[in-house]
């Protein structure tokens, strides 16, 4: 069961030329699909990038394997496509083999497009889609079923929304972006002023500006700015269920794994990596090149690139309980040590 | 205000026979609905399973209470349905009393079903639903309003999607599954190869295979496999806002509470329990019968069943600040202790 | 790019009178929009509430600035609207300047409204909306595109659902509530009884009762009660991706930041604040006025108002690794200290 049927067979010679690999083996052999080393059979193109899977190479039945030069001659399938970066090369070849379904240009009869919206004739607008006043959908965009695009929102050329995405009013999405189902871009930021009578809503009058080549995961939420915009840089990659609060700014090429949360007005540099369930409090600045470990919360500015962590790893429950008890007693332990030091100083 | 009206009154004699209980009290008394011990009145069926609520039995006004044999004679309502497992018995009786709305077989006029899709005539397809090419909806399925079912996706018999669910292309859902609103199954996995120019998208050409009797919570996301499928075993229960990454495999009967996150290619055994906000990093294997505490991150393989924890419990802020300071000073404390030990050894 | 165009210019004299400020400067000067101190230009209304941004006042080009009395005479724009609470005053003025788009009363032709539902003629029902049997939509409500309102659900007057919201059967929403896109209210609670054959579903026959002036964030989920209702008090504010489990009760004016999770049957008091990624286990009670820090899990009853924390802050990875190692060795460290104490006692 695959997402998309592969294209006609392609020869290893063609692959090697098109993707800049050295070819070892039969130039006329053809591949039709991709597979992992262990699942591969005839016609499969596979790759070895993570040394963890090195053992699977020797017994793989793949027709061809993309490998590093250092793996060119190890045991395994005789056809090798040799490249310094097998994973990126695999990605490019897989894009070629699986181009995705062709665009069906035009607006589905069940979609509702406001008369003042502009939809490029090359774009595909699926069933049940709603496009608001003054919105703009660029060339070759694909708008999945039941998406809602608000008034004045716009999508650059070659962007794609999976079904059930919401783009709120005035949100700007760049070119070649891909938004997975259920994502919400441009929801109101969480802004309420405390008063003696309770909360008073602070209108969120900014919007969201999203660069080019941005990927946004399923059910991820990006709030519009309170004043001024929330800004997502080019080539940012956000996984599923990520929360980006109002007026956050994220630098180019930064990636965040699932369930990260970035609180309001925090500024994140370029090429940062956030692991799952991590995040940052509001109003902090994180420089370029920062890696944040899983479940770690950044609580103040980070000015030095490098990795940061905080979460304890899972322990068997008896160890865990003892650790928690010990931590709670650290005051007592420190006091005992202080008393010992004092005693030694007196007695020496 | 209840989700569904109860059926006609049923006698305690009938309940006892149908659900294998010993009946103490009036066989002709009837119940019409369920209620907690404290809220119950005439016509209410209640139960006592959690000893925490034992005090409410004596004063309950329920018409009948499901209890363990050990609670058969304690103070309280005179009608008792006695069973070794009151909670599971309650669940079965409640299913009987609240069968849910009857299926309205047929496709709503406002739904769009591709001409190559197959929808069983007994299935209910709600307003605004979109069903793609080659998709298959089994007997007695209920597809809630505005759901989107992608090309080639399929649902086994007696499965139900609440409104606004997205099933992406080629996803396979088993029989008797229930998917809550906003869930997204089959979104692209988070796969990008780093290059000197930024990220290169890795096509996610696998799909998602979901077994029978699986429950999936609201706004939960399950990504399709990168190569090969993401696999959810029979009788798996996922709460709301859970993230299951590409190529994860989850064994039968495992349950995860809200906001858990499992990173890519991790394999989880059968009958595991994950508490809220917990999760696992990618590429680890967790054996059967593991319990993961709330907010705990599994960072390496677990090969022994049992409970695992990591998160510190909430402390008053002054304690918390002291604990954090003490933890940051552990190096110094250890150095002081080492110096004391050294001094003692020298002086003895 | 803003969410909504501002109204016609308003004079500072009018603002001062309408919102109870002292005016310093030109009563005839007019503002047309809001801006931050640093981005403001001619026609902009700005404010200074957070001392963090005080430095921007001197050089701001705003036409007028809302300030505290203590900031009335500092360097900066000559027009000042002076009020003890600049942020709340800003919120009120911004609501006035940005009233949001006017309601377009009526049901869109592409919406499906069950013949037994009642929709107030003043309400706006957008394209693709589905409203079930017996549902009720109050005066001046706005129902965004592709929302689904279940059978018997109701919305009080002046409430608004952004696009793609799901209100399940029988959910009750109060007046002046605002629900952001993708939120799901009334999904089934996570209730399954363990049996020797696996999980047995426990029907969730309660509903959700939501008070007045409640805000619910994008992709937030609120489950219906198992027996009896989940209850959200007046003026509660929930950010995005929050999870509220079955039978939780939340007191008035409590606010929760993104990705909080509250497990089943927990009761939370009034005027509590939960920071991002925090939460509580099930069946605990938290009193009024509790503040829970980010990523902190409440594991037992809290009976004293005040702040609570648990999560370690992010540390550079080398510090983090050392801290984890030290924590794992706390048993040994404590044993060494105990030995030293014992030795000292023997030798003294």
């Amino acid at each position: 069961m695959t997402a998309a049927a592969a294209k006609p067979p392609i020869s290893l010679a063609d692959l090697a030329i098109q993707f800049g690999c050295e070819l070892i083996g039969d130039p006329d052999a053809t591949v039709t699909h991709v597979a992992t080393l262990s699942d591969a059979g005839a016609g499969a193109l596979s790759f070895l990038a993570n040394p963890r899977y090195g053992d699977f190479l020797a017994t793989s039945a793949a027709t061809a394997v993309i490998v590093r030069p250092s793996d060119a001659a190890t045991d395994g399938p005789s056809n090798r496509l040799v490249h310094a970066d097998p994973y990126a090369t695999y990605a490019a070849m897989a894009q070629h083999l699986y181009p995705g379904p062709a665009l069906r240009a035009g607006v589905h009869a069940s979609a509702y497009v406001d008369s003042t919206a502009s939809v490029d004739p090359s774009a595909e607008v699926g069933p049940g889609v709603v496009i608001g006043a003054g919105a703009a959908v660029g060339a070759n965009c694909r708008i999945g079923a039941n998406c809602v695009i608000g008034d004045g929102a716009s999508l650059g050329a070659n962007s794609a929304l999976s079904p059930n995405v919401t783009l709120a009013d005035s949100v700007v999405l760049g070119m070649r972006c891909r938004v997975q189902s259920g994502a919400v871009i441009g929801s109101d930021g969480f802004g309420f002023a405390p008063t003696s009578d309770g909360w008073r809503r602070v209108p969120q009058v900014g919007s969201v500006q999203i660069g080019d080549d941005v990927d946004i995961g399923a059910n991820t939420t990006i709030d519009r700015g309170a004043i001024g915009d929330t800004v997502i840089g080019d080539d940012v990659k956000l996984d599923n269920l990520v929360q980006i609060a109002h007026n956050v700014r994220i630098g180019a090429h930064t990636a965040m794994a699932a369930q990260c949360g970035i609180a309001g007005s925090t500024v994140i540099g370029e090429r940062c990596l956030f692991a799952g369930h991590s995040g940052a409090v509001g109003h902090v600045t994180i420089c370029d090149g920062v890696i944040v470990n899983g479940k770690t919360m950044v609580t103040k500015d980070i000015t030095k690139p490098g990795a940061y962590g905080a979460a304890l790893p899972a322990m068997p429950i008896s160890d865990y309980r003892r650790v928690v008890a010990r931590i709670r007693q650290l005051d007592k332990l420190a006091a005992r040590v202080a008393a010992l030091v004092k005693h030694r100083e007196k007695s020496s």
Side-chain angles (χ1 to χ4, degrees), chain A:
Chain A
M1 187 62 50
T2 56
K7 287 167 71 168
I10 183 168
S11 73
L12 301 187
D14 285 350
L15 281 176
I17 290 165
Q18 190 170 342
F19 297 97
C21 300
E22 180 192 354
L23 171 62
I24 299 175
D26 178 4
D28 296 328
T30 58
V31 294
T32 59
H33 64 283
V34 301
T36 60
L37 287 171
S38 51
D39 289 343
L45 171 68
S46 193
F47 69 102
L48 174 59
N50 188 336
R52 183 195 302 258
Y53 299 110
D55 289 351
F56 295 109
L57 182 58
T59 56
S60 178
T63 290
V65 183
I66 313 164
V67 296
R68 287 196 184 78
S70 56
D71 290 317
T74 50
D75 281 355
S78 55
N79 297 319
R80 306 282 168 103
L81 292 154
V82 184
H83 194 283
D85 189 342
Y87 189 44
T89 302
Y90 164 76
M93 291 181 181
Q95 284 184 22
H96 177 83
L97 284 168
Y98 298 83
L103 272 184
R104 287 166 288 193
V107 176
H108 193 272
S110 65
Y112 171 75
V113 180
D114 187 275
S115 60
T116 63
S118 81
V119 176
D120 191 277
S122 63
E124 172 181 339
V125 175
V129 168
V130 176
I131 301 182
V137 176
N140 303 311
C141 283
R142 184 195 310 267
I143 312 298
N146 286 352
C147 285
V148 177
I149 299 177
D151 293 353
S154 66
L155 292 88
N158 298 297
S159 284
L161 310 184
S162 293
N164 273 327
V165 165
T166 305
L167 239 62
D169 293 357
S170 80
V171 167
V172 175
L173 197 72
M175 294 186 291
R176 297 175 304 277
C177 292
R178 293 161 53 96
V179 184
Q180 300 294 316
S181 291
V184 175
I185 307 179
S187 37
D188 276 1
F190 196 59
F192 302 94
T195 76
S196 53
D197 295 332
W199 299 105
R200 181 177 296 164
R201 184 171 58 82
V202 179
Q204 304 290 301
V205 305
S207 187
V208 181
Q209 301 278 351
I210 294 179
D212 296 330
D213 301 298
V214 172
D215 276 76
I216 295 171
N219 285 343
T220 280
T221 57
I222 303 178
D223 281 347
R224 64 192 320 115
I227 309 179
D229 295 337
T230 304
V231 180
I232 310 292
D234 291 343
D235 198 34
V236 164
K237 306 299 178 186
L238 303 178
D239 198 355
N240 298 347
L241 296 167
V242 168
Q243 151 72 355
I244 306 296
H246 46 188
N247 298 101
V248 165
R249 304 178 80 92
I250 302 182
H253 313 299
T254 285
M256 296 190 184
Q259 296 164 314
C260 282
I262 308 298
S265 299
T266 280
V267 177
I268 296 175
E270 300 192 354
R271 297 183 191 276
C272 293
L273 297 174
F274 283 70
H277 267 145
S278 69
V281 303
H283 296 277
V284 299
T285 298
I286 297 174
C287 67
D288 295 350
V290 167
I291 297 168
V292 180
N293 276 19
K295 284 203 159 36
T296 292
M297 177 174 61
V298 175
T299 58
K300 41 187 190 175
D301 289 357
I302 292 183
T303 56
K304 285 179 67 170
Y308 293 79
L312 301 181
M315 293 166 266
I317 199 75
S318 55
D319 294 357
Y320 164 65
R321 289 203 180 115
R322 211 159 47 222
V323 159
V324 170
R326 289 286 180 213
I327 285 176
R328 286 174 176 283
Q329 295 163 348
L330 273 174
D331 265 2
K332 279 188 200 158
L333 187 67
R336 296 185 88 179
V337 172
L340 286 167
V341 170
K342 201 169 172 188
H343 180 265
R344 191 197 65 178
E345 283 164 356
K346 265 200 298 188
S347 64
S348 63

